[in-house]
Amino acid sequence: MHICMALSDYDTIPACAAIQSLKDSRDQKDHYNIFLFTAGVTEEHEKWLECLAGDGIVIHILKSNSSGEKLHEENAGNRVLTKAPDWENAVYSAGKILGFTDRLLYLDSGLIIRDSLRGLYDQDLGDNFCGAVEDCCVLYEKDQQDGRPHFNTGVLLFDLQKMEKEQIFDKLKKAEETDGDPGQEIWRNVFAGRVQKFSVRYNFMPESLDRNNVKWQIQKVNERYKTAYENKKELYEDALILHYSREDGPWNNPDKACGAQWLHAYLKAPVPHELAEPPKDS
């Protein structure tokens, strides 16, 4: 399975935990070929990422021309939030290496994977260019409840061959040059609506749903995502991918919803643990 991520130096700690969770949850038959498209990542942090290879994991580091623009200082540990490369460039770079002949799964760095990704990777895309999950904000933000899909870009599955054949990468580049950040318009104007909707379990955002818990009901989830959960607990337990906020995830605030799952993977990763000390019996 081919996977890519887009990372600035700020994202290396979350990425280490994400890749560790991939290793922990993979089936013995799973092999993950991971392309890390980086901007301004230090040599030390590159070594952290490279040491996660093995056990069915292959790591390729692709350096972008960007130096990782500084956005602002983070409160926790005074860490600097820097701009990550655009997912479009990461997907194109990895796709070019693959010859635009296969599928490619794009993942944000701030994720925890709880089981094999094979079921997601083999999802039927039909005649669509990609598959994505609607952002959970559609459940509780009225201005997002306009009947149109609002996709979250944290988990995206692409048909590279189809995208190359129909010049989607050229259209993405043109949209960026014209609009800067086209946002949700990209799905209508570039992908022409050809996006397969995936179940919420493939991109579950526990922080947002926990913070807005009183604003949504499980019935809304089932209606929006065509699921059949009986209660919220079942939804949380079924999630394949936990997706945390980049700016305020458990690497900055371990008390966030489902923060323990992230911390567990982070402390297992064979990298220096700058954010927390591992348990004494580990």
Side-chain angles (χ1 to χ4, degrees):
M1 286 174 272
H2 303 299
I3 297 170
C4 77
M5 295 182 178
L7 312 176
S8 74
D9 198 58
Y10 171 86
D11 301 303
T12 52
I13 288 178
C16 286
I19 296 171
Q20 182 63 45
S21 74
L22 274 172
K23 297 178 74 171
D24 292 342
S25 62
R26 61 178 281 272
D27 187 274
Q28 286 189 338
K29 297 179 182 179
D30 291 339
H31 293 277
Y32 296 127
N33 191 34
I34 305 176
F35 298 90
L36 303 177
F37 192 67
T38 65
V41 173
T42 65
E43 290 186 11
E44 179 186 8
H45 287 172
E46 280 188 4
K47 292 178 181 177
W48 290 11
L49 296 165
E50 289 169 344
C51 80
L52 288 158
D55 297 326
I57 304 284
V58 177
I59 303 286
H60 310 270
I61 294 182
L62 312 176
K63 296 183 180 181
S64 75
N65 295 325
S66 171
S67 60
E69 176 188 354
K70 178 178 176 180
L71 299 179
H72 60 74
E73 299 285 341
E74 280 295 296
N75 293 328
N78 203 35
R79 297 176 62 234
V80 179
L81 180 66
T82 48
K83 187 179 186 301
D86 294 329
W87 63 261
E88 298 95 330
N89 292 329
V91 170
Y92 177 79
S93 297
K96 188 175 182 180
I97 293 174
L98 295 171
F100 302 110
T101 58
D102 210 328
R103 288 186 166 197
L104 179 66
L105 179 62
Y106 172 81
L107 299 176
D108 268 1
S109 60
L111 305 175
I112 290 296
I113 293 85
R114 303 166 80 183
D115 205 344
S116 169
L117 289 176
R118 175 54 66 184
L120 169 58
Y121 198 82
D122 290 343
Q123 284 285 306
D124 183 13
L125 293 179
D127 192 42
N128 298 301
F129 298 114
C130 74
V133 178
E134 283 193 275
D135 196 295
C136 65
C137 67
V138 299
L139 298 173
Y140 54 81
E141 291 186 2
K142 291 184 178 180
D143 62 346
Q144 302 295 319
Q145 297 170 356
D146 53 11
R148 296 184 301 171
H150 295 268
F151 294 109
N152 184 281
T153 58
V155 178
L156 301 169
L157 179 64
F158 294 98
D159 184 326
L160 295 175
Q161 187 173 22
K162 193 171 293 181
M163 290 177 68
E164 177 69 2
K165 181 179 179 180
E166 301 197 32
Q167 301 179 320
I168 297 300
F169 289 109
D170 293 336
K171 294 175 183 177
L172 283 170
K173 184 177 180 180
K174 184 176 180 180
E176 185 177 3
E177 292 173 348
T178 304
D179 303 323
D181 181 9
Q184 288 295 321
E185 297 303 313
I186 200 173
W187 307 113
R188 184 165 62 252
N189 297 340
V190 176
F191 287 85
R194 290 167 64 182
V195 182
Q196 181 66 41
K197 293 183 182 180
F198 287 162
S199 167
V200 65
R201 74 183 300 262
Y202 293 126
N203 187 355
F204 181 67
M205 307 183 73
E207 295 167 280
S208 297
L209 290 176
D210 181 65
R211 186 172 59 249
N212 296 280
N213 186 53
V214 299
K215 299 180 180 180
W216 63 279
Q217 302 299 324
I218 198 64
Q219 291 82 359
K220 286 188 176 181
V221 175
N222 291 332
E223 290 171 7
R224 191 79 188 198
Y225 297 99
K226 311 302 181 189
T227 51
Y229 296 114
E230 293 188 3
N231 51 57
K232 293 182 179 182
K233 181 176 183 289
E234 188 176 313
L235 169 62
Y236 275 75
E237 291 177 346
D238 185 56
L240 175 71
I241 298 177
L242 302 176
H243 184 190
Y244 304 94
S245 164
R246 184 172 186 255
E247 295 190 30
D248 197 27
W251 42 92
N252 287 334
N253 186 349
D255 294 327
K256 289 290 184 179
C258 297
Q261 287 91 327
W262 183 88
L263 187 62
H264 176 77
Y266 168 64
L267 292 178
K268 285 191 68 177
V271 299
H273 297 113
E274 297 183 346
L275 303 186
E277 290 296 324
K280 292 181 181 180
D281 60 350
S282 65

